Amino acid sequence: MADPSVAAVDGQPASTRSYGLHVGALGAAETLAQSVSATAPSTSSSLTIPLVFALAGNGTWLVYLMATAAILLVGFCIGRFARISASPGSLYSYTAKTLPPIFGVLAAWGLLLAYLATGASVAGGALYYVDLLSHQFLHWTPPAVVTLAVICGLAGYIAFRDVKLSAEVMLWVEIASVALVMAVLAMLMFKVGLRIDMGQLRLKGVHFSSLGPALVLSIFSFVGFESATTLGAEARNPLRTIPRAVLQCALLSGCFFILCSYSEVLGFHGVPTNLAETTSPLHLLAATAGVSPLGVGIDTGALVSMFACVLACATAASRVTLRMSHAGILPRGLQSTSRAHGTPVPAILISSALMFLATAAMAIRCVAGFDMYDLAGSLSVFGFLTAYALVALAVPFAERSLGQASIWISLFSALTVIVIVLIAIFDIRSSSDLLHARIPYIYLAYIAIGIVFHFARRKPYRI
């Protein structure tokens, strides 16, 4: 049984329904910007790669290569659905169309948490860089709760004001941030010389037992790459634009991360500071390359990139919330959209507020911005893996319903599900302390509450 709410509405296919949003407001580049901003590539080059290196060492580039392959498998499955359906509910709608309704509910709650937790994670990362830059130039840091309120509040306002404006902001922010990173890496290669690092190619000193946990960390660099699917009602020519954006983001991000990980490991040869012990590696590499001002620029770019990611997550989470409301999973009051701006106002307000409240609660408990990035990011991975696995599982059934059943599609689907399950197992087994070990149970409790809430208000809406 599929969720009837995603099949047709008053004779109109769900794939063409606007839900009160501005139809066709975004072009191909702006749609791609949503996915790229949600992955925040310049952020991973500064904060995530050192964490992966701490586990994988000279195998960091290989871990990112494996992660890219895994994400491309997921992207292939998402792309199959994105070619036949477009909806603000994205992965929820894909699952609910094909599998029994409870699987759609699981995908919806998992995806909603994933975007909210990722937004909270990068808000914490932005707080880290605000403190870093403020201390460096002002010898003073603003109150954490005030900083988080400004970050989440401004992101929510831009997301409310205009989806096209927010997409353009995200696009130019990421272009500038990635350009700065690439400039530093190019100058670094010029300084150290274009040579092959045999230690990395031969995986010198790599313990293969640590590659699994490292793979889990690297996956967080990619999560959100599918968020262009939340713009199904707002992208022009969505059945072509969205699948392209998803696969382009996965491939471009993968190449960028592989290049950054290889270059950063190479660049730290001969540097007294260990790559695993720094959370601002590109700043140090800029100094090594003799372009220290670019290091400050990269730190500033990372801050702005994290803000763009908060904005991307607020945009994505609000569209998922809107779609869940129309499906009856969440209250009807969250269906409202602004006629002037074509944006889901209550959903944006709730999404931004939840991101702020989560990070503010941690700040009050003296959790540092970098730790917020780590903890909330670790939680978000489980939500994404749930949605990814369910979409991959649904692909063969969707193809069969269209009379396009293929053994190769079924094999790709099965392989994708197996890879995601293995990543989840590695994630659970790689918990480094008691707090991280509790995260899977927190996620399961959240899902259980979501299911109970669904059955408690199980009252079909006419939508």
Side-chain angles (χ1 to χ4, degrees), residues 117-201:
T118 299
S121 172
V122 290
L127 171 64
Y128 167 81
Y129 276 104
V130 167
D131 289 347
L132 181 72
L133 293 168
S134 297
H135 182 74
Q136 181 177 353
F137 292 104
L138 304 175
H139 305 291
W140 168 82
T141 56
V145 173
V146 173
T147 301
L148 292 167
V150 171
I151 292 169
C152 296
L154 183 58
Y157 173 75
I158 296 176
F160 149 74
R161 185 66 180 80
D162 186 1
V163 67
K164 186 175 178 64
L165 170 64
S166 64
E168 290 174 348
V169 168
M170 292 185 288
L171 177 63
W172 289 110
V173 163
E174 291 304 330
I175 288 175
S177 298
V178 170
L180 281 173
V181 172
M182 295 299 293
V184 167
L185 294 181
M187 294 178 186
L188 180 67
M189 292 300 102
F190 179 78
K191 184 175 181 64
V192 303
L194 294 175
R195 58 186 176 84
I196 297 175
D197 187 350
M198 297 307 299
Q200 291 194 68
L201 294 185

Side-chain angles (χ1 to χ4, degrees), residues 184 188 268 271 273-274 278-290 295:
V184 167
L188 180 67
F268 267 79
V271 175
T273 304
N274 189 300
T278 177
T279 52
S280 189
L282 293 169
H283 193 133
L284 294 177
L285 292 179
T288 301

Side-chain angles (χ1 to χ4, degrees), residues 63-73 222 250-251 253-255 257-258:
V63 168
Y64 271 102
L65 179 62
M66 293 189 295
T68 301
I71 290 299
L72 285 173
L73 281 174
F222 291 90
L251 186 58
S253 296
C255 292
F257 294 143
I258 293 168

Side-chain angles (χ1 to χ4, degrees), residues 30-353:
E30 294 154 338
T31 305
L32 176 61
Q34 169 66 31
S35 279
V36 172
S37 297
T39 61
S42 57
T43 298
S44 288
S45 63
S46 296
L47 294 183
T48 310
I49 287 178
L51 297 175
V52 175
F53 175 80
L55 293 170
N58 282 325
T60 302
W61 68 272
L62 178 61
V63 168
Y64 271 102
L65 179 62
M66 293 189 295
T68 301
I71 290 299
L72 285 173
L73 281 174
V74 175
F76 171 80
C77 293
I78 293 173
R80 298 297 295 186
F81 271 112
R83 290 185 180 92
I84 60 176
S85 173
S87 165
S90 62
L91 306 192
Y92 155 69
S93 295
Y94 300 160
T95 303
K97 282 184 176 184
T98 309
L99 300 178
I102 189 61
F103 290 101
V105 173
L106 286 173
W109 283 110
L111 195 62
L112 180 61
L113 177 70
Y115 287 132
L116 291 175
T118 299
S121 172
V122 290
L127 171 64
Y128 167 81
Y129 276 104
V130 167
D131 289 347
L132 181 72
L133 293 168
S134 297
H135 182 74
Q136 181 177 353
F137 292 104
L138 304 175
H139 305 291
W140 168 82
T141 56
V145 173
V146 173
T147 301
L148 292 167
V150 171
I151 292 169
C152 296
L154 183 58
Y157 173 75
I158 296 176
F160 149 74
R161 185 66 180 80
D162 186 1
V163 67
K164 186 175 178 64
L165 170 64
S166 64
E168 290 174 348
V169 168
M170 292 185 288
L171 177 63
W172 289 110
V173 163
E174 291 304 330
I175 288 175
S177 298
V178 170
L180 281 173
V181 172
M182 295 299 293
V184 167
L185 294 181
M187 294 178 186
L188 180 67
M189 292 300 102
F190 179 78
K191 184 175 181 64
V192 303
L194 294 175
R195 58 186 176 84
I196 297 175
D197 187 350
M198 297 307 299
Q200 291 194 68
L201 294 185
R202 292 174 179 172
L203 304 178
K204 182 180 178 180
V206 174
H207 299 287
F208 288 92
S209 61
S210 65
L211 293 185
L215 178 61
V216 172
L217 284 173
S218 67
I219 289 295
F220 182 59
S221 296
F222 291 90
V223 294
F225 82 102
E226 80 304 320
S227 65
T229 59
T230 64
L231 302 177
E234 296 157 288
R236 289 195 291 272
N237 197 4
L239 301 185
R240 178 181 298 177
T241 301
I242 290 175
R244 284 184 179 177
V246 169
L247 288 174
Q248 285 171 349
C249 181
L251 186 58
L252 292 174
S253 296
C255 292
F256 178 73
F257 294 143
I258 293 168
L259 174 62
C260 285
S261 58
Y262 177 87
S263 301
E264 287 181 32
V265 173
L266 175 62
F268 267 79
H269 290 336
V271 175
T273 304
N274 189 300
L275 176 57
E277 298 172 352
T278 177
T279 52
S280 189
L282 293 169
H283 193 133
L284 294 177
L285 292 179
T288 301
V291 284
S292 295
L294 282 186
V296 176
I298 285 177
D299 286 344
T300 304
L303 165 61
V304 181
S305 177
M306 287 185 178
F307 170 78
C309 188
V310 176
L311 173 56
C313 290
T315 300
S318 64
R319 270 60 179 176
V320 174
T321 300
L322 174 71
R323 187 64 187 85
M324 289 173 69
S325 176
H326 277 277
I329 300 174
L330 289 175
R332 277 180 173 269
L334 296 173
Q335 296 179 18
S336 175
T337 56
S338 166
R339 290 186 178 181
H341 304 292
T343 53
V345 180
I348 291 172
L349 179 62
I350 290 291
S351 299
S352 303

